[in-house]
Amino acid sequence: MHLDWWTLGLQTVNVVVLLWILKRFLFRPVAKIVADRQAAADVELRRARQARAEAEKARDAARTATSDIAAQRAGLLVRAEEEAEAEKAKLLEAAEAEAEAAREAARAELDRMRAAETQALTDAAGTLAVDIAERLFARLPEEARINGFMGGLVKAVSALPDAARAEIASAGPVRLRAARALTADETDRLEASLSEVLAHPVEVAVESDETLIAGLELDAPQAVVRNHFRADLDLIRQELTRHD
Amino acid sequence: MENPLTLEPLLSIGPVPITAPVAVTWAIMLALTLGSWLATRRLSLQPGKLQTVLELFVTTVDGQIRDTMQTDPSPYRTLIGTIFLFVLIANWSSLIPGIEPPTAHLETDAALALIVFAATVWFGIATRGLKGYLATFAEPSWVMIPLNLVEQITRTFSLIVRLFGNVMSGVFVVGIVLSLAGLLVPIPLMALDLLTGTVQAYIFAILATVFIGAAANGEAPGDTSSKTPSQAPTQETSNQETETP
């Protein structure tokens, strides 16, 4: 086999030169641009990973916040329920107290109305009783309406203090009111009786007053002596209508 | 028919005869230089179609180197890529009428194989150091030193013969058929030559990768079985058996 050494040498040099040329014009620039793109992609990937990590972090934070909010919400609900229960109990208590106060007021008002009604009934009964008594007393005989009370009047005057009796005796005519006009005989007897208890002769000045119904009333500046039905009935009425 | 083993100088520059393979190689170099320069003038991060093809080629070369050598491909990229590209273009140059591919001559294949041999030694020493590289010849035992030394030569020689035999035989067959039959008859054989040229370029480049990787990454010289992809030795054997004349 024949080998051309010149050609072998030239081809060797050619390939070496081609190695340098292709390294300079093909492989180095292409590899560089691939590496640059890879670097750019790595940067983007790194950014994406970073963004993903941040997103995951934000997601975890959001989950934590959500759970916190849920816990807060549950706590607020419990607290609100407790406050509502307390407020409800307070309102119920206030309502019960208010109702009790209203009941007490109504009861007091009822008692007051009952008392007033009772009073009115008592008054009416007392008035009715006095009216009945007046009507009954009006049927008394004319003589009894004066004579029956004359002794009582004299006795009451005799029970007065001495000074009062002396002043009545010295004051001039004794002023009397009678249920009817006195007869002369009745006037004489009355003057005689009074003169006896007053220890001084006296004259009487009688004034008729039918409202007395029956009896007499001595009216002096020092004392008033009543012995008649009107006074008795008024006293009875006062007793009946008195409220202790 | 012209004897494919003889070379007639086209011209002489002083005492240096310029033969057809050298001239064709210069043309290929010129074409590759111009093409590379034009293609890589305006590279950008947003690649066009041509840039995409270039990047695909470079990344494929890187991937083959990485898969075979299990290491960073950048120190070996230019050598392996240039060998593949030159052998491929040289093999396909036979399609141009009147052009005989440089790889159909022993001198070109021998030059390529010598460069691969030199690169094997260079990268072995660069990676392991001189002592470490020489120690690989005594693996697995010092008894293997003669065999390993012989293997260094024989596998380089096998690179030469494989490429030369396949390309030369293709040219020879097409020439014979063309001389016997009509114009269109050799076309299927020429298409087959395209495939053969591609396969041979791949085999040459991948074997260079295996040899360099074995020297640089701790494999004993010639122990390509564990580092070589499973396809490569099989392909090498099958090509030797079926395609080597």
Side-chain angles (χ1 to χ4, degrees):
Chain A
M1 181 181 291
H2 174 74
L3 198 62
D4 185 347
W5 294 102
W6 279 110
T7 301
L8 173 62
L10 285 173
Q11 289 296 70
T12 305
V13 172
N14 284 340
V15 174
V16 171
V17 171
L18 186 62
L19 281 171
W20 181 83
I21 288 172
L22 290 185
K23 180 177 184 180
R24 170 75 178 76
F25 291 108
L26 179 63
F27 291 106
R28 186 183 290 169
V30 174
K32 181 177 181 304
I33 199 72
V34 171
D36 290 348
R37 186 181 300 108
Q38 185 63 45
D42 288 344
V43 169
E44 291 301 320
L45 276 174
R46 200 159 41 246
R47 284 180 187 163
R49 284 194 202 100
Q50 192 173 357
R52 181 179 176 182
E54 288 174 0
E56 286 176 350
K57 196 173 173 184
R59 185 190 63 189
D60 293 341
R63 282 180 180 165
T64 306
T66 304
S67 59
D68 288 348
I69 289 170
Q72 287 178 1
R73 178 176 171 270
L76 286 173
L77 281 174
V78 170
R79 205 176 311 146
E81 285 179 1
E82 290 174 355
E83 288 177 357
E85 286 294 326
E87 188 68 19
K88 179 183 170 186
K90 197 159 74 176
L91 287 173
L92 277 174
E93 191 177 351
E96 286 177 0
E98 192 176 348
E100 185 62 28
R103 275 198 300 272
E104 286 296 328
R107 199 175 293 128
E109 180 66 16
L110 193 59
D111 291 344
R112 191 189 59 77
M113 289 171 66
R114 279 179 187 162
E117 195 166 348
T118 304
Q119 178 64 37
L121 287 173
T122 305
D123 291 347
T127 304
L128 181 62
V130 170
D131 288 345
I132 293 169
E134 282 179 0
R135 292 198 179 190
L136 290 174
F137 287 143
R139 297 181 62 187
L140 286 173
E142 288 297 321
E143 294 82 8
R145 293 176 65 185
I146 295 298
N147 294 334
F149 293 89
M150 202 175 293
L153 179 69
V154 172
K155 189 177 178 182
V157 171
S158 67
L160 288 174
D162 292 341
R165 279 186 289 143
E167 286 184 6
I168 292 171
S170 61
V174 177
R175 302 184 64 83
L176 290 169
R177 287 194 297 151
R180 62 174 171 76
L182 299 181
T183 63
D185 183 51
E186 290 171 341
T187 303
D188 290 342
R189 278 193 287 129
L190 184 57
E191 286 177 348
S193 298
L194 286 174
S195 297
E196 185 179 348
V197 296
L198 290 175
H200 190 276
V202 294
E203 291 181 1
V204 296
V206 179
E207 183 182 352
S208 174
D209 186 358
E210 290 183 353
T211 60
L212 300 183
I213 304 171
L216 299 162
E217 178 178 311
L218 185 149
D219 191 7
Q222 298 78 15
V224 175
V225 179
R226 298 186 183 94
N227 188 22
H228 50 77
F229 276 170
R230 172 55 58 191
D232 295 338
L233 290 174
D234 287 343
L235 186 62
I236 290 168
R237 187 198 309 269
Q238 285 177 2
E239 288 295 325
L240 287 175
T241 58
R242 187 176 63 192
H243 304 288
D244 295 328
Chain B
M1 173 173 282
E2 181 186 351
N3 185 354
L5 301 179
T6 60
L7 280 173
E8 295 299 328
L10 298 175
L11 57 102
S12 292
I13 301 175
V16 182
I18 305 301
T19 55
V22 174
V24 174
T25 299
W26 284 348
I28 291 171
M29 288 171 65
L30 183 63
L32 284 174
T33 303
L34 283 175
S36 299
W37 178 69
L38 290 173
T40 59
R41 278 190 307 180
R42 296 195 182 100
L43 295 179
S44 72
L45 291 177
Q46 306 291 329
K49 291 178 182 175
L50 180 59
Q51 184 179 337
T52 304
V53 172
L54 289 178
E55 290 182 9
L56 179 63
F57 171 68
V58 172
T59 52
T60 304
V61 171
D62 281 357
Q64 289 291 327
I65 295 170
R66 191 180 291 109
D67 291 345
T68 305
M69 300 175 69
Q70 304 294 318
T71 186
D72 175 30
S74 56
Y76 315 102
R77 179 188 302 126
T78 301
L79 177 65
I80 304 302
T82 301
I83 287 173
F84 173 77
L85 206 55
F86 174 70
V87 173
L88 181 69
I89 301 296
N91 291 346
W92 284 1
S93 66
S94 65
L95 295 177
I96 300 172
I99 298 296
E100 193 171 320
T103 46
H105 294 276
L106 269 177
E107 289 79 4
T108 306
D109 302 331
L112 289 167
L114 284 175
I115 287 172
V116 170
F117 175 75
T120 303
V121 176
W122 171 263
F123 284 115
I125 293 173
T127 306
R128 299 168 179 269
L130 179 60
K131 193 176 176 182
Y133 176 67
L134 292 176
T136 61
F137 287 91
E139 291 175 356
S141 166
W142 61 271
V143 180
M144 297 296 290
I145 291 175
L147 284 176
N148 286 334
L149 287 172
V150 169
E151 188 184 17
Q152 288 292 309
I153 298 167
T154 54
R155 74 182 185 185
T156 302
F157 188 73
S158 75
L159 276 179
I160 300 170
V161 172
R162 181 185 304 106
L163 183 59
F164 168 70
N166 280 284
V167 179
M168 184 273 292
S169 64
V171 173
F172 197 68
V173 169
V174 170
I176 293 173
V177 172
L178 191 60
S179 64
L180 295 176
L183 180 64
L184 299 177
V185 176
I187 287 178
L189 295 172
M190 293 171 76
L192 184 62
D193 260 1
L194 281 177
L195 179 63
T196 305
T198 307
V199 170
Q200 288 305 316
Y202 175 76
I203 289 171
F204 198 97
I206 207 71
L207 284 177
T209 308
V210 169
F211 296 157
I212 294 169
N217 293 337
E219 295 294 338
D223 183 13
T224 60
S225 58
S226 61
K227 275 286 183 182
T228 308
S230 57
Q231 296 88 346
T234 308
Q235 210 166 27
E236 181 185 1
T237 306
S238 65
N239 275 291
Q240 281 177 326
E241 288 174 351
T242 59
E243 296 181 12
T244 302

